[in-house]
Amino acid sequence: MKLFALIGFLTILSACHGYRILGLFPYNGKSHFVMFEQLMKALARKGHQVDVVSTFPLKKPCPNYNDIIVLPATTHLINNFTFDNIHDMMKRASTSHTSAVFFGTEICETLSDPRIQQLAKNPPNDPPYDAVIVEVFGAHCYLAIGHLLKVPIIGVSSAILYPWHHDLIGNPHNLAYAANNLITLPEQMNFWQRAYNFLHSTYHEMSFLYYSSPQTEIARKYLGDDIPDVRTLEKNISMILVNSHISMNGVKTMTPALIEVGGLHVTEEGVELPPSLEKWMNESTSGFIYFSFGSMVKIESFPMKHLEIFYNSLGKIAPVRVLMKIPNPNELPPGLPKNIYTSPWIPQVKVLKHPNVKAFITHGGLMGTQEAIHYGVPLIGIPLFADQFININTYVRANVAIGLDLDTLTEEKLDKALNAVLHDPQYRETAKKVSAKFLDRPLSSADTAVFWTEYIIRHGANALKSPAMNLTWWQQQLLDVYLFLLGVAFLAIYIVVCAVRFAFGLINVEQTPSGKKKLS
């Protein structure tokens, strides 16, 4: 009897065996890493040992979570992105070029770190890794580490997939009704919009492939000459966990290897609210508006014409207050309205959850806007770059946001938007309905991500692999079949034409010039 009990106990232990998972997140974008950190913490809470390579070590220890390598930041982005930086970035290069070079090839040079090379060539074996989780954004050279470890590679994207990501897992990206995430188009596109969507998507996909191709040589330089080219490495991705959800991003054709975990990062764990800020929010009995352009952008660096618009419009809504994230309040021009409270750092989740918050003025970053959707807070969106335009457009279509263009922004337009979100109940009511839909899932986003990660480890790297990965692009689009059928149709028409001509020829031969038949 004791033997059976021991066997049962060992069976349970075996079933509950935790995996060892390596997370590779070399890009030093805080807005990206907040999702990845919560993913790795969710896996750690399930008993898995997670080792993380990033530029953001944990501030507080977490069981089973180990920062094994803390990379130096290639560029200081937090609270350091000025208006001129934004303008120059939008003017000089396309998003695909920036992602492939600035957020890709340049980051690949961190493979030169001896600690990275040691990890890739002499990984721990006590126990060995069961899977590698890698951000799919620009630095796809890091997929080489998964190749060397010979374990399943799981991609994770903090944004809706960019045009160059769909082919990584054979995801069908139907450009007839699904606009790519770099342009703003309506759901029902006309012919010219569909044509533009196709050309725009194709250009950025080809651009990324071209500008990221040097990553192959960088990976081989630091990790060995036998590393496959980066395009081959990309095909080794087993699945991608993507920060999207059907409630906001719509119904799209997706392969099972694309798992939606939108809102994974939304958590209050470890988020502390300063007593002074909590007191200010509690005392805002007429409500307050939260204003933030994310973890990177310095609002105080904006031109005076924009700051005057903010000052004038926000000052008019008193006694409604305004909580404004300003990295360096001392750099603001004088005249800040008395109803505005500034702070260089704000615990955003706690703020958006507060009952007195009325609306969120945002640049449209996916993380912050999803937090607002989670708590049912309406938005005023002023997008600045990248996918922020389509994010705000999505929320405007859902009637939970008012979109404004920074280049054409006026005091009157901002006044009108503020008046609408503060006094028109439809925005608050719709935001609550969309929030309920966003949260209505069979599993939480964290549990969904954990389940499918474990699924890939249990059943192998190809468990969700699409058969489309074995086909060329023209085979996937059935162009060879269409050409064959077109050829058959032309051949059939040709045969019919020849037969008719032959028949008419026989008739003409049998007739005299006067139209009478010849005598035999």
Side-chain angles (χ1 to χ4, degrees), residues 73-94:
T74 55
T75 304
H76 182 56
L77 296 175
I78 297 177
N79 290 336
N80 200 40
F81 217 56
T82 67
F83 179 86
D84 290 337
N85 294 147
I86 297 169
H87 187 265
D88 290 345
M89 184 180 72
M90 296 295 288
K91 183 179 180 180
R92 285 202 315 262
S94 66

Side-chain angles (χ1 to χ4, degrees), residues 243-313:
N243 190 24
S244 65
H245 189 258
I246 188 174
S247 63
M248 291 308 306
N249 304 110
V251 176
K252 295 180 175 64
T253 307
M254 295 191 303
T255 175
L258 184 61
I259 309 296
E260 291 194 305
V261 291
L264 172 63
H265 67 288
V266 184
T267 178
E268 296 180 59
E269 179 193 357
V271 180
E272 297 180 357
L273 194 62
S276 59
L277 178 57
E278 184 174 20
K279 181 176 181 293
W280 183 90
M281 291 193 296
N282 291 338
E283 292 175 350
S284 301
T285 53
S286 296
F288 69 90
I289 285 180
Y290 176 48
F291 189 160
S292 172
F293 280 167
S295 63
M296 294 166 52
V297 176
K298 297 179 64 176
I299 296 177
E300 62 270 31
S301 70
F302 278 46
M304 191 62 197
K305 65 176 182 178
H306 291 126
L307 295 177
E308 286 180 349
I309 292 172
F310 296 150
Y311 278 24
N312 295 337
S313 288

Side-chain angles (χ1 to χ4, degrees), residues 9 25 29 31 60 67 187 207 224 234 242 246 288 298 307 317 320 330 338 346 379 414 419 422 441 471 478 484:
F9 177 73
F25 313 111
S31 60
K60 293 183 178 180
D67 289 302
E187 285 186 305
S207 173
E234 290 170 341
V242 62
I246 188 174
F288 69 90
K298 297 179 64 176
L307 295 177
I317 64 174
V320 176
N330 293 332
K338 293 181 179 180
I346 293 174
L379 308 163
L414 185 53
N419 183 67
L422 287 173
R441 317 180 190 195
L471 301 175
L478 290 177
F484 171 75

Side-chain angles (χ1 to χ4, degrees), residues 35-309:
M35 175 189 178
F36 310 148
E37 180 180 308
Q38 292 308 317
L39 169 61
M40 303 310 284
K41 282 183 175 180
L43 289 165
R45 284 194 294 269
K46 291 291 185 178
H48 305 303
Q49 180 179 342
V50 299
D51 296 339
V52 178
V53 176
S54 76
T55 59
F56 300 101
L58 287 181
K59 295 180 179 179
K60 293 183 178 180
C62 175
N64 300 327
Y65 186 115
N66 302 300
D67 289 302
I68 58 169
I69 299 175
V70 178
L71 295 171
T74 55
T75 304
H76 182 56
L77 296 175
I78 297 177
N79 290 336
N80 200 40
F81 217 56
T82 67
F83 179 86
D84 290 337
N85 294 147
I86 297 169
H87 187 265
D88 290 345
M89 184 180 72
M90 296 295 288
K91 183 179 180 180
R92 285 202 315 262
S94 66
T95 301
S96 53
H97 175 271
T98 301
S99 299
V101 178
F102 186 67
F103 300 142
T105 303
E106 291 186 13
I107 291 176
C108 288
E109 288 294 338
T110 58
L111 292 173
S112 63
D113 192 310
R115 298 170 297 171
I116 296 289
Q117 296 179 27
Q118 174 69 18
L119 175 67
K121 298 174 182 178
N122 297 290
N125 291 306
D126 55 341
Y129 288 116
D130 297 291
V132 172
I133 298 179
V134 186
E135 178 181 14
V136 288
F137 181 42
H140 294 177
C141 53
Y142 265 77
L143 297 170
I145 296 178
H147 167 79
L148 291 174
L149 298 181
K150 295 181 172 56
V151 296
I153 301 172
I154 296 169
V156 57
S157 175
S158 62
I160 306 166
L161 293 191
Y162 287 95
W164 53 88
H165 286 152
H166 294 273
D167 286 346
L168 303 185
I169 52 173
N171 188 59
H173 190 202
N174 194 320
L175 297 171
Y177 64 86
N180 78 65
N181 69 332
L182 298 176
I183 52 177
T184 301
L185 291 172
E187 285 186 305
Q188 298 295 323
M189 292 181 279
N190 60 33
F191 170 79
W192 298 111
Q193 290 167 334
R194 285 184 284 116
Y196 178 66
N197 189 34
F198 170 75
L199 294 173
H200 189 278
S201 299
T202 303
Y203 166 77
H204 281 283
E205 183 177 355
M206 296 298 104
S207 173
F208 181 85
L209 295 179
Y210 174 77
Y211 287 113
S212 64
S213 58
Q215 294 184 23
T216 297
E217 293 308 314
I218 296 174
R220 289 173 178 169
K221 176 182 177 182
Y222 296 121
L223 300 180
D225 294 335
D226 57 342
I227 296 294
D229 67 86
V230 70
R231 302 284 85 91
T232 301
L233 291 173
E234 290 170 341
K235 293 181 180 180
N236 292 334
I237 296 176
S238 298
M239 72 173 183
I240 296 178
L241 303 170
V242 62
N243 190 24
S244 65
H245 189 258
I246 188 174
S247 63
M248 291 308 306
N249 304 110
V251 176
K252 295 180 175 64
T253 307
M254 295 191 303
T255 175
L258 184 61
I259 309 296
E260 291 194 305
V261 291
L264 172 63
H265 67 288
V266 184
T267 178
E268 296 180 59
E269 179 193 357
V271 180
E272 297 180 357
L273 194 62
S276 59
L277 178 57
E278 184 174 20
K279 181 176 181 293
W280 183 90
M281 291 193 296
N282 291 338
E283 292 175 350
S284 301
T285 53
S286 296
F288 69 90
I289 285 180
Y290 176 48
F291 189 160
S292 172
F293 280 167
S295 63
M296 294 166 52
V297 176
K298 297 179 64 176
I299 296 177
E300 62 270 31
S301 70
F302 278 46
M304 191 62 197
K305 65 176 182 178
H306 291 126
L307 295 177
E308 286 180 349
I309 292 172

Side-chain angles (χ1 to χ4, degrees), residues 310-512:
F310 296 150
Y311 278 24
N312 295 337
S313 288
L314 296 174
K316 293 176 187 176
I317 64 174
V320 176
R321 292 172 159 186
V322 179
L323 174 60
M324 204 168 185
K325 179 186 175 293
I326 302 292
N328 294 294
N330 293 332
E331 296 181 10
L332 284 172
L336 186 72
K338 293 181 179 180
N339 64 326
I340 297 181
Y341 179 104
T342 65
S343 176
W345 175 84
I346 293 174
Q348 189 160 279
V349 173
K350 293 282 191 180
V351 170
L352 292 171
K353 185 184 179 182
H354 199 278
N356 288 342
V357 67
K358 297 294 185 182
F360 179 21
I361 300 177
T362 173
H363 64 319
L366 190 57
M367 299 298 176
T369 53
Q370 282 183 340
E371 290 168 359
I373 295 301
H374 183 101
Y375 293 111
V377 178
L379 308 163
I380 294 177
I382 309 175
L384 304 177
F385 54 86
D387 62 343
Q388 295 162 12
F389 296 91
I390 194 171
N391 293 341
I392 294 300
N393 188 57
T394 298
Y395 303 133
V396 169
R397 282 204 305 262
N399 207 31
V400 298
I402 297 173
L404 298 174
D405 186 340
L406 185 66
D407 292 334
T408 60
L409 184 65
T410 63
E411 187 176 329
E412 291 72 23
K413 290 180 179 179
L414 185 53
D415 287 346
K416 185 177 179 180
L418 288 167
N419 183 67
V421 295
L422 287 173
H423 303 297
D424 188 342
Q426 69 163 322
Y427 290 101
R428 170 72 60 171
E429 293 169 0
T430 306
K432 293 296 182 185
K433 292 178 181 178
V434 171
S435 174
K437 189 176 180 182
F438 183 67
L439 299 175
D440 190 2
R441 317 180 190 195
L443 289 173
S444 70
S445 53
D447 288 340
T448 300
V450 170
F451 172 82
W452 288 108
T453 299
E454 294 173 339
Y455 184 92
I456 288 293
I457 296 174
R458 287 195 301 266
H459 301 295
N462 296 324
L464 299 176
K465 186 95 39 157
S466 170
M469 298 296 293
N470 299 320
L471 301 175
T472 62
W473 67 270
W474 63 84
Q475 290 173 323
Q476 292 182 34
Q477 301 299 323
L478 290 177
L479 293 184
D480 51 346
V481 176
Y482 294 150
L483 287 173
F484 171 75
L485 294 177
L486 189 62
V488 169
F490 276 123
L491 180 61
I493 293 172
Y494 176 76
I495 292 173
V496 170
V497 170
C498 289
V500 170
R501 291 179 63 182
F502 180 75
F504 274 107
L506 290 177
I507 294 174
N508 289 336
V509 169
E510 293 178 355
Q511 291 181 342
T512 62

